[in-house]
Amino acid sequence: MGLISEVLLLPFAPARGSAWAIRQVIQEAERIYYDPATVRAELARLEERLEAGEITEEEFDRVEDELLDRLETATRSGETTGDGTAS
């Protein structure tokens, strides 16, 4: 039965391969997005922009809250090492 199903599903192999590749890209993007080192670097850049007068205090507070939420999510999941790499 396995051989027959593989033969019947062969025309869908490119779609299955594309779906796998898309899942891998999404997983890597999420790993980088929630990586504590990445979030800390973004917080530092945000503070620099505030000190340089590029953004308002309100915008700083809004973005800082978003970044801190990401950092909290990252530390809860514990999936990264905090140095930009997966564990």
Side-chain angles (χ1 to χ4, degrees):
M1 183 68 174
L3 180 61
I4 293 173
S5 64
E6 284 298 317
V7 170
L8 292 174
L9 294 175
L10 191 58
F12 299 107
R16 290 189 317 208
S18 296
W20 176 84
I22 290 169
R23 281 192 304 273
Q24 299 298 29
V25 169
I26 290 171
Q27 286 176 348
E28 181 64 11
E30 287 178 345
R31 185 193 64 78
I32 292 169
Y33 182 77
Y34 288 109
D35 182 65
T38 302
V39 176
R40 287 186 194 103
E42 288 183 36
L43 281 166
R45 283 192 300 270
L46 182 66
E47 189 169 349
E48 290 171 3
R49 290 182 64 204
L50 177 67
E51 291 172 359
E54 297 175 11
I55 58 174
T56 65
E57 189 76 38
E58 293 80 22
E59 186 176 0
F60 173 84
D61 289 340
R62 180 185 56 79
V63 176
E64 181 187 41
D65 287 343
E66 293 171 6
L67 290 170
L68 292 174
D69 287 343
R70 278 174 45 194
L71 188 59
E72 182 180 341
T73 300
T75 55
R76 270 198 321 253
S77 68
E79 295 176 357
T80 59
T81 61
D83 64 358
T85 61
S87 57

